[in-house]
Amino acid sequence: MHHVGYWVASLEEAAERAARTLGVGPFLVHRHVRFDAFRLADGTDITDPAYLDHSAAFAAWGPVVLELAEVHSVDPALADAYGIAHDRVGHVSWVTDDLEAEGERLRRAGCRPIHTASTGAVSVAWYTGGDLFPHPVELH
């Protein structure tokens, strides 16, 4: 397990509330996250940064990282796949040594691929929660 992510209406307000009520912080903030590559499950490469324009803040919360994400713009189909709704779990994430093998394990469990993305040395793969979770899963 690496982190749990929440969709929030205001990154600043959510980070301040988490710091005040949970003692979480300081937050590392990434504004308007850019991807070097973003590919949908059907193989479509996305080059428009507005397809998913979001800012994210990360902070240690005990042994788990808390991610807060504010969406500035998103393609409606991706918003639906993500199940974007404010102030609820948006996804859980874990780290694996083999994205493809772990993705296959999730597919066998009924989770459908949403997309893959990379920025720098970081690669991720997103899946629906299937029957396992009521939210998506992000693999690192």
Side-chain angles (χ1 to χ4, degrees):
M1 178 73 168
H2 183 264
H3 70 266
V4 58
Y6 291 86
W7 302 114
V8 298
S10 167
L11 196 58
E12 288 75 17
E13 289 175 16
E16 193 281 326
R17 183 176 62 235
R20 184 181 66 251
T21 61
L22 302 173
V24 175
F27 282 89
L28 175 62
V29 178
H30 299 279
R31 300 211 181 272
H32 301 280
V33 175
R34 295 280 196 197
F35 299 100
D36 297 330
F38 194 100
R39 178 172 281 177
L40 299 178
D42 69 4
T44 303
D45 288 319
I46 303 299
T47 58
D48 179 2
Y51 191 84
L52 172 60
D53 179 13
H54 73 294
S55 295
F58 298 86
W61 190 11
V64 175
V65 172
L66 172 65
E67 176 186 0
L68 305 173
E70 176 183 344
V71 175
H72 307 293
S73 67
V74 63
D75 179 87
L78 186 60
D80 187 51
Y82 279 166
I84 293 175
H86 295 150
D87 301 321
R88 68 174 198 162
V89 172
H91 66 281
V92 295
S93 176
W94 57 86
V95 176
T96 178
D97 291 332
D98 188 335
L99 277 178
E100 188 56 42
E102 188 67 3
E104 180 56 34
R105 188 167 77 101
L106 286 174
R107 286 188 289 276
R108 283 194 311 271
C111 303
R112 295 181 323 278
I114 298 173
H115 72 84
T116 58
S118 63
T119 186
V122 177
S123 295
V124 299
W126 278 69
Y127 291 83
T128 65
D131 292 334
L132 296 175
F133 302 106
H135 51 71
V137 172
E138 179 185 31
L139 302 177
H140 282 260

